[in-house]
Amino acid sequence: MSPQFYNENANKLAEQYLSKSFEQVHKSWSQFLPAIINNSHARILDLGAGSGRDAKHFAELAVKEHGVENCIQVFAVEPANILADIGARQTTGLNVKWLTDSLPALSTITKQEVSFDLILLSAVWMHIPASDRARSIRKLANLLKPGGNLVISLRHGHTDEERITRKMHTVCADELKQLANNVGLFTKLETQKEDDKLGRNHVSWQTVVLQMPDDGTGAFPFIRHVAINDGKSATHKLALLRVLLRIADGHPGSVLRRESSRDGDRVILPIGLVALYWCHQYKDLIDKHNLHQTPNKNSNMGFMKPNGWHKLTKLQASDYRIGNIFTGDTAVALYKTISAAVSNIKTMPCRFITQPNSDKTVFEVASKTVKAKDSIFLDLQTLEQWGEFSLPESTWLAFNRYACWIEPVLVSEWVKTMASYSGNSQYKSPENQYHLYQVLKWEEPKRTTTEVRKRFDELKLQQSLKHNQQEQIRCVWSAKPLKQKYDIDHSMPFARWPNNDLWNLLPTDRKINNQKSDKLPTEKKLKQAKERIQQWWQVAWLEPEDNIQKRFFAEANIALPGLSSDNSSVDDLFEALVMQRGRLKEMQQLREW
């Protein structure tokens, strides 16, 4: 597509598009729409949204079905910014989020780490060159929920001038269906060619509706193959899969970028983060419980070096977390430990995990040498120093969306593998393996609000000394002034998503907090509290001139989707919080408050 043409002719094109209603243009597939709109938490992507006609129709149907404050999200993507401005005006007051993006990369949308019940490409496919179509379909399939529909209208016929000025290409339904079949989509509807609604004799239209039956990527069979069938001379492979699963589940903001490759799009992570989680995972298994991770009699593993791992015996698994600072000899040893873990990951599991019936490796590491220093602050930017880790986007999304089903398989296989080693012979019989299951429980953060309570009390004391009633701290949910009976609430419920990050802990009225309990705030309630939440962040963590501000953003930028590692905007942070709320609602079906 040429954004230049569409920007230069935006007003004329908008008038043309808006002259026909949604029903006139999309009658051939609209029978699938009621079931989608009936889902009060559906998510819809209008890709190539133009002047906003279709996005507006979706949003208005949502209001009609569920009321003004409905939770259906409509994302409208349009690469031509002037045309998008017209569309945004068309949808003013409706729950439509406008973004600038385009196929085949869709980098802005994929960075949101969300999936869709419906994706519509109306008059878009003919702008995709044949060389980009396989990648585009892979990208679209990765954005679909299981059972989600991808609707693509095909324009047949264009003049030579249109081919040049509007960057149009010949399309074919059979080609589209084959590409879809290659990524696990099946054809739900293929219409006959229909006359152009604008009366152009040289143009006809055809609609193809594709559906995602499961995750459709082949990621599940691959993960199962590695976890259950693949040969294991140590627990390295299982450890790597579990590390990636934990990062995908808890730190969607850790994605540095996405890249295209001949075999499909790939997700790029900081290898330093993978190594940090590697150390977190092995720490207690080895140092605390003395469990062998290889068949060898020697319990030492490749990443356990005298000048690194063995100098950190006083640390706990929970110390390997984002936002922590280490100095002196501990910092130097931690640098060396992470470097040794990066090397071990690169030469062991990444080298030996291959595609089934192939010698092609699945995971790739581009590592860098990092000089040890006497101070280390664990954030994304620090962990980027060691280089990059690359994995297939389909595998990342499977971990991201289905962690609660995949992790028990990995843990079960890890128990069986450890029990088979001679160094762990006391656990050989199944009845003795309960202990192994217990020690493999991921070291989650313990629910705590102590640090935030201390900060709240400090601020209250400062206010009382100033006799300043205007700056009273208020309950973020109800706006009530907070006095003695207050609580610190996990905005995203800790029981469902264990997270003690500073951004997630908010001052609330005790009665209100009891009402909320472990429920998820609705999007409406979260947005209504935006000003008070940002005010608390500002006074509690962003005004002090010390490391707490760095820690605040370090925690948020890795835990929440769509943020850059150097983000320092509370507005962007809040947008990411709203997005994470939607992800938790979708993935865990949490009760709302």
Side-chain angles (χ1 to χ4, degrees):
M1 174 182 171
S2 170
Q4 180 181 350
F5 173 86
Y6 285 85
N7 278 327
E8 289 174 352
N9 298 276
N11 290 323
K12 179 182 177 182
L13 290 169
E15 182 181 353
Q16 188 181 85
Y17 298 154
L18 295 172
S19 69
K20 301 299 175 184
S21 68
F22 178 93
E23 290 86 353
Q24 288 175 296
V25 176
H26 297 295
K27 183 180 178 181
S28 63
W29 67 270
S30 59
Q31 67 270 27
F32 301 120
L33 197 51
I36 296 167
I37 298 296
N38 190 50
N39 174 8
S40 60
H41 295 282
R43 201 176 281 126
I44 298 172
L45 173 60
D46 184 4
L47 191 53
S51 54
R53 177 196 62 208
D54 300 341
K56 181 180 181 181
H57 182 76
F58 296 140
E60 287 178 340
L61 282 181
V63 171
K64 186 177 180 181
E65 181 70 22
H66 302 287
V68 175
E69 302 297 342
N70 74 89
C71 293
I72 291 181
Q73 290 183 307
V74 179
F75 288 73
V77 170
E78 174 52 54
N81 61 319
I82 297 177
L83 196 55
D85 289 343
I86 296 172
R89 290 196 294 272
Q90 283 287 318
T91 57
T92 299
L94 294 168
N95 192 15
V96 178
K97 182 173 184 176
W98 284 83
L99 298 170
T100 303
D101 210 346
S102 61
L103 284 165
L106 285 184
S107 54
T108 302
I109 280 290
T110 50
K111 199 175 181 183
Q112 310 299 314
E113 299 289 348
V114 295
S115 51
F116 297 90
D117 300 86
L118 171 65
I119 301 176
L120 172 63
L121 277 73
S122 180
V124 170
W125 195 248
M126 70 279 191
H127 292 301
I128 311 297
S131 58
D132 286 339
R133 288 175 185 170
R135 183 188 174 200
S136 296
I137 280 291
R138 281 196 301 267
K139 179 66 70 172
L140 293 166
N142 285 339
L143 288 170
L144 273 180
K145 292 181 186 178
N149 290 316
L150 170 60
V151 179
I152 300 179
S153 67
L154 302 177
R155 170 174 164 157
H156 297 284
H158 53 261
T159 64
D160 289 342
E161 182 184 0
E162 288 173 328
R163 179 177 58 81
I164 296 169
T165 60
R166 301 176 72 164
K167 300 293 189 291
M168 289 187 177
H169 307 273
T170 301
V171 297
C172 172
D174 288 341
E175 176 207 41
L176 174 59
K177 290 188 295 180
Q178 184 58 55
L179 291 172
N181 186 61
N182 291 344
V183 294
L185 301 178
F186 69 88
T187 303
K188 195 171 180 180
L189 174 71
E190 178 187 359
T191 69
Q192 299 296 314
K193 292 181 180 178
E194 301 173 350
D195 292 340
D196 178 53
K197 297 295 187 293
L198 295 173
R200 293 169 293 192
N201 294 328
H202 69 287
V203 177
S204 63
W205 294 89
Q206 189 177 14
T207 300
V208 176
V209 179
L210 306 165
Q211 190 171 65
M212 174 69 71
D214 185 23
D215 79 324
T217 63
F220 277 151
F222 158 70
I223 293 167
R224 186 179 187 278
H225 167 74
V226 174
I228 297 175
N229 302 322
D230 224 1
K232 301 176 189 68
S233 59
T235 59
H236 291 114
K237 292 180 181 179
L238 294 164
L240 181 57
L241 292 185
R242 196 179 186 203
V243 161
L244 296 174
L245 178 145
R246 280 284 166 170
I247 294 173
D249 186 43
H251 291 322
S254 62
V255 177
L256 299 178
R257 66 184 184 282
R258 283 168 164 82
E259 288 182 351
S260 62
S261 76
R262 189 177 60 184
D263 300 312
D265 286 8
R266 298 182 70 85
V267 168
I268 313 300
L269 305 172
I271 181 58
L273 176 64
V274 179
L276 183 71
Y277 265 52
W278 181 269
C279 296
H280 173 115
Q281 178 169 238
Y282 274 121
K283 179 66 176 171
D284 288 349
L285 285 177
I286 295 170
D287 285 1
K288 190 173 179 180
H289 300 286
N290 301 310
L291 287 165
H292 286 238
Q293 301 301 310
T294 72
N296 306 325
K297 291 182 179 179
N298 183 357
S299 61
N300 212 60
M301 298 183 77
F303 56 89
M304 297 167 61
K305 306 293 185 183
N307 62 355
W309 181 277
H310 292 302
K311 285 194 172 184
L312 298 173
T313 53
K314 292 183 180 180
L315 294 186
Q316 306 295 317
S318 57
D319 291 323
Y320 295 107
R321 69 178 298 275
I322 296 298
N324 275 0
I325 302 174
F326 299 93
T327 57
D329 292 343
T330 301
V332 172
L334 184 53
Y335 265 108
K336 292 181 177 180
T337 299
I338 293 175
S339 293
V342 168
S343 177
N344 195 233
I345 292 166
K346 182 177 182 177
T347 57
M348 292 301 293
C350 287
R351 181 181 169 192
F352 294 109
I353 295 178
T354 59
Q355 295 286 2
N357 305 313
S358 168
D359 59 358
K360 182 171 179 56
T361 57
V362 176
F363 305 116
E364 298 171 3
V365 175
S367 57
K368 298 178 182 176
T369 301
V370 178
K371 184 179 179 181
K373 301 173 186 174
D374 60 2
S375 176
I376 183 170
F377 174 62
L378 294 177
D379 68 350
L380 266 182
Q381 289 178 297
T382 297
L383 296 171
E384 287 172 19
Q385 294 178 91
W386 278 273
E388 297 179 345
F389 181 96
S390 165
L391 73 157
E393 185 180 48
S394 57
T395 306
W396 168 261
L397 292 173
F399 283 142
N400 182 292
R401 296 171 185 170
Y402 308 112
C404 61
W405 288 288
I406 296 172
E407 187 163 32
V409 175
L410 297 178
V411 170
S412 176
E413 195 61 26
W414 200 328
V415 166
K416 293 177 188 175
T417 302
M418 284 195 297
S420 71
Y421 296 154
S422 59
N424 304 322
S425 57
Q426 66 269 41
Y427 301 110
K428 192 169 184 178
S429 62
E431 59 267 24
N432 293 337
Q433 290 171 14
Y434 174 76
H435 174 69
L436 300 183
Y437 280 100
Q438 291 301 108
V439 300
L440 271 172
K441 284 187 175 178
W442 191 270
E443 180 68 28
E444 299 281 13
K446 292 178 173 59
R447 186 185 188 113
T448 178
T449 60
T450 304
E451 181 180 15
V452 183
R453 281 184 167 276
K454 181 181 177 183
R455 182 64 180 139
F456 178 93
D457 292 340
E458 288 174 355
L459 292 170
K460 287 291 288 183
L461 180 60
Q462 291 173 17
Q463 289 172 4
S464 64
L465 292 175
K466 292 179 183 177
H467 303 288
N468 189 342
Q469 296 299 311
Q470 298 299 317
E471 295 183 7
Q472 287 189 80
I473 302 175
R474 296 179 178 272
C475 169
V476 296
W477 303 122
S478 67
K480 293 180 181 178
L482 295 177
K483 298 178 182 178
Q484 298 301 318
K485 293 184 179 180
Y486 74 91
D487 277 340
I488 300 297
D489 173 44
H490 290 77
S491 65
M492 301 294 102
F494 186 90
R496 304 301 182 187
W497 194 57
N499 181 293
N500 288 318
D501 291 352
L502 299 178
W503 59 267
N504 194 36
L505 291 163
L506 306 171
T508 59
D509 176 79
R510 183 164 296 171
K511 185 177 179 181
I512 297 293
N513 192 40
N514 288 338
Q515 292 173 4
K516 178 176 179 284
S517 186
D518 61 356
K519 294 190 282 291
L520 191 68
T522 62
E523 183 173 335
K524 175 185 176 183
K525 195 173 290 288
L526 191 60
K527 288 181 174 178
Q528 286 175 338
K530 177 180 179 179
E531 185 177 345
R532 293 185 293 275
I533 290 174
Q534 290 186 326
Q535 176 66 14
W536 166 252
W537 289 342
Q538 189 66 40
V539 299
W541 314 120
L542 304 184
E543 289 179 0
E545 294 296 325
D546 55 24
N547 284 324
I548 201 70
Q549 184 178 125
K550 283 179 65 179
R551 177 184 152 197
F552 175 85
F553 280 111
E555 291 176 345
N557 292 345
I558 195 171
L560 297 172
L563 297 175
S564 61
S565 61
D566 61 351
N567 169 63
S568 59
S569 163
V570 291
D571 286 328
D572 289 350
L573 196 163
F574 188 84
E575 282 292 309
L577 175 57
V578 173
M579 194 66 65
Q580 178 64 4
R581 191 217 76 87
R583 291 179 73 247
L584 288 176
K585 172 63 183 174
E586 176 186 319
M587 291 187 292
Q588 299 195 27
Q589 298 299 304
L590 302 185
R591 292 182 303 153
E592 290 186 298
W593 172 71

